[in-house]
Amino acid sequence: EAQVTQNPRCLITVTGKKLTVTCSQNMNHEYMSWYRQDPGLGLRQIYYSMNVEVTDKGDVPEGYKVSRKEKRNFPLILESPSPNQTSLYFCASSSTTGIGYTFGSGTRLTVV
Amino acid sequence: QKEVEQDPGPLSVPEGAIVSLNCTYSNSAFQYFMWYRQYSRKGPELLMYTYSSGNKEDGRFTAQVDKSSKYISLFIRDSQPSDSATYLCAKGSGNQFYFGTGTSLTVIP
């Protein structure tokens, strides 16, 4: 089944404790992206990657890092999480010839 | 000005009603327009897309784009309780996408 898999689905952590949210896609898509979704603000792009070793900032990159060492994986790293990073996070992928994104099921992150 | 503006609702309708969801967009330099449906605790899934002005129909769903007025609409006929979700409009070109904030829809049995 074609899908984008995120882990964990839900995480509660404390301020300052580094964490990584993993994302993997099995569709051989070139393009991958991370979004956060907040009430009233909708989906906001954090980082995106056009292909392996090619990443760039989206609209809200502060406090986040990403890497793209393999085509299928695109982890999101929070080096020192803060409460304002409490949100619902989505990884998504698309192909250069397709339409739109395939989204993961989301990761609900709470930073206390 | 946001790239895509969407009325957040919430919208509540009785089962069987016709639902109209609307968005406006700025910047005409985008190739296609999409509607995503997002159920609670799930990721958005692509419902429909269209390249051009006019209507595109898929079962009970019709997507409409008016490029002259920069207006995107989704119509749902004979709405069902299973249509209860948040609907996001979006525009795209290549791998660049902009999303509306979503409209929450509840269809009451």
Side-chain angles (χ1 to χ4, degrees):
Chain A
E1 180 188 354
Q3 60 185 358
V4 176
T5 303
Q6 293 178 231
N7 281 296
R9 291 293 311 276
C10 186
L11 177 63
I12 301 174
T13 190
V14 296
T15 299
K17 185 176 181 181
K18 181 180 178 180
L19 66 93
T20 299
V21 184
T22 63
C23 174
S24 180
Q25 50 95 4
N26 62 1
M27 296 164 283
N28 201 37
H29 284 170
E30 297 83 9
Y31 190 89
M32 297 186 74
S33 185
W34 276 102
Y35 284 85
R36 60 178 289 174
Q37 188 176 41
D38 301 287
L41 298 176
L43 287 164
R44 293 182 291 168
Q45 192 176 46
I46 302 170
Y47 269 94
Y48 64 93
S49 169
M50 301 290 285
N51 215 321
V52 176
E53 302 291 2
V54 181
T55 63
D56 208 346
K57 297 177 181 178
D59 299 319
V60 288
E62 294 77 21
Y64 304 95
K65 286 176 58 177
V66 293
S67 68
R68 186 93 181 272
K69 293 183 170 55
E70 304 166 285
K71 196 172 185 179
R72 63 183 291 124
N73 295 323
F74 190 44
L76 179 69
I77 303 156
L78 286 74
E79 294 271 3
S80 183
S82 62
N84 65 9
Q85 293 178 297
T86 293
S87 186
L88 180 58
Y89 291 86
F90 289 104
C91 181
S93 71
S94 68
S95 72
T96 54
T97 56
I99 297 292
Y101 279 125
T102 299
F103 281 89
S105 295
T107 296
R108 184 165 294 280
L109 173 66
T110 302
V111 184
V112 297
Chain B
Q1 184 181 9
K2 287 184 179 178
E3 294 281 345
V4 181
E5 300 264 11
Q6 184 172 11
D7 184 347
L11 192 59
S12 183
V13 301
E15 183 175 354
I18 296 174
V19 176
S20 172
L21 304 169
N22 304 297
C23 294
T24 58
Y25 66 92
S26 60
N27 187 356
S28 300
F30 280 81
Q31 294 177 320
Y32 55 88
F33 302 88
M34 301 166 281
W35 283 95
Y36 280 81
R37 179 174 60 194
Q38 184 177 14
Y39 290 115
S40 181
R41 301 182 187 280
K42 298 283 189 182
E45 55 180 347
L46 184 63
L47 187 62
M48 294 184 70
Y49 68 91
T50 179
Y51 282 101
S52 58
S53 283
N55 294 351
K56 181 177 181 179
E57 197 171 308
D58 184 2
R60 296 184 295 108
F61 298 87
T62 299
Q64 186 177 80
V65 178
D66 183 343
K67 286 189 173 180
S68 61
S69 58
K70 296 187 175 66
Y71 211 74
I72 314 165
S73 299
L74 178 71
F75 299 97
I76 307 174
R77 292 183 300 280
D78 186 26
S79 56
Q80 302 294 308
S82 59
D83 295 328
S84 298
T86 296
Y87 291 81
L88 298 96
C89 59
K91 62 178 185 178
S93 178
N95 293 120
Q96 187 176 16
F97 306 104
Y98 288 96
F99 292 88
T101 53
T103 299
S104 175
L105 171 67
T106 300
V107 181
I108 303 167

